Amino acid sequence: CHQLMKALFFRLDDKIRSTACILDELTLTEAPLRPTFIVAVFFEGLACYRMERKSRDKKWMTRGGTALSFIKTIGQSSPWNFENKMFLLEAEKMYTIGAFQQSKELYEKAILSAKTHKFIHEEALSHELAGFMHLENQMPREAVEYFAEAVSCYTNWGALALANQLDSVANKARGALVTNSLQPNDHNSNFQFS
């Protein structure tokens, strides 16, 4: 679980490919659900949607859907703990299928839910993923705003390595904003942030 979370947070796609296997246990075991297992399913779902966007291999979309269904089911017993996770997985799914307006709304719901329920690390993650969605879709101004909020949350949570990494990405996006403002007719910038 920790290796997958690290791979997702630091955007290590090769590591995601080799560690995304917790969903296999959903069908292989009847063991009682442990909190770490549930969290692992959530992070694997996020990783699967990312890998689908990167590879266009439909197995990742299917696995992401399995994670989303699982979190929705578990979430019925404790909306406080799982509402933001469900919204974030749904946002990533909508982004993956190209439903950008719906994904924006769901990222906002995930952020608000995480903030309301005091999950600052998941609030940070929701801001971060919303930022990447905007950046990858040529909306650097919005991305920078989300990244700034994510950096603040990660810093408050004590995750300084994540805050520093994301601040570096935000600085690149800010630089692109300056460059693009100097070239007002060039709307074909292609951001390549991994």
Side-chain angles (χ1 to χ4, degrees):
C1 174
H2 296 318
Q3 292 298 320
L4 178 61
M5 289 170 62
K6 181 179 171 184
L8 179 67
F9 278 120
F10 289 101
R11 305 180 78 75
L12 306 171
D13 294 342
D14 289 338
K15 191 73 169 172
I16 290 173
R17 279 187 203 91
S18 66
T19 57
C21 60
I22 197 75
L23 289 169
D24 297 335
E25 290 187 36
L26 282 177
T27 57
L28 297 177
T29 184
E30 300 268 335
L33 296 176
R34 301 171 311 279
T36 55
F37 179 80
I38 296 168
V39 170
V41 169
F42 167 64
F43 279 99
E44 186 163 331
L46 295 175
C48 288
Y49 287 128
R50 173 175 166 72
M51 295 310 298
E52 166 64 21
R53 290 191 303 274
K54 299 288 269 183
S55 71
R56 295 295 174 205
D57 181 343
K58 294 297 178 198
K59 80 174 183 181
W60 295 111
M61 189 68 160
T62 301
R63 293 175 70 83
T66 300
L68 176 56
S69 294
F70 177 78
I71 294 298
K72 281 182 174 179
T73 300
I74 291 292
Q76 292 173 0
S77 65
S78 181
W80 180 275
N81 288 313
F82 296 101
E83 180 183 71
N84 70 298
K85 293 170 183 65
M86 181 192 66
F87 286 143
L88 188 54
L89 282 167
E90 287 182 336
E92 285 287 287
K93 177 183 177 182
M94 291 297 108
Y95 172 33
T96 301
I97 65 172
F100 300 118
Q101 187 57 43
Q102 290 154 308
S103 68
K104 288 178 190 182
E105 293 167 9
L106 287 161
Y107 284 121
E108 287 297 323
K109 286 181 175 183
I111 290 164
L112 180 59
S113 177
K115 185 175 187 149
T116 299
H117 298 128
K118 310 284 189 239
F119 295 119
I120 193 167
H121 59 298
E122 291 174 7
E123 180 185 352
L125 180 59
S126 298
H127 279 293
E128 177 182 355
L129 295 178
F132 275 109
M133 187 277 296
H134 283 86
L135 188 62
E136 292 163 1
N137 286 281
Q138 311 308 315
M139 295 178 270
R141 182 167 281 106
E142 293 87 347
V144 166
E145 292 171 10
Y146 280 108
F147 289 152
E149 291 296 325
V151 167
S152 176
C153 290
Y154 281 136
T155 300
N156 290 335
W157 187 44
L160 300 182
L162 291 173
N164 291 337
Q165 173 189 287
L166 196 53
D167 197 42
S168 175
V169 172
N171 286 334
K172 288 179 186 177
R174 283 184 202 98
L177 277 172
V178 170
T179 301
N180 286 346
S181 69
L182 298 175
Q183 302 169 358
N185 294 327
D186 180 17
H187 299 290
N188 297 323
S189 300
N190 189 10
F191 296 98
Q192 298 295 322
F193 297 99
S194 44

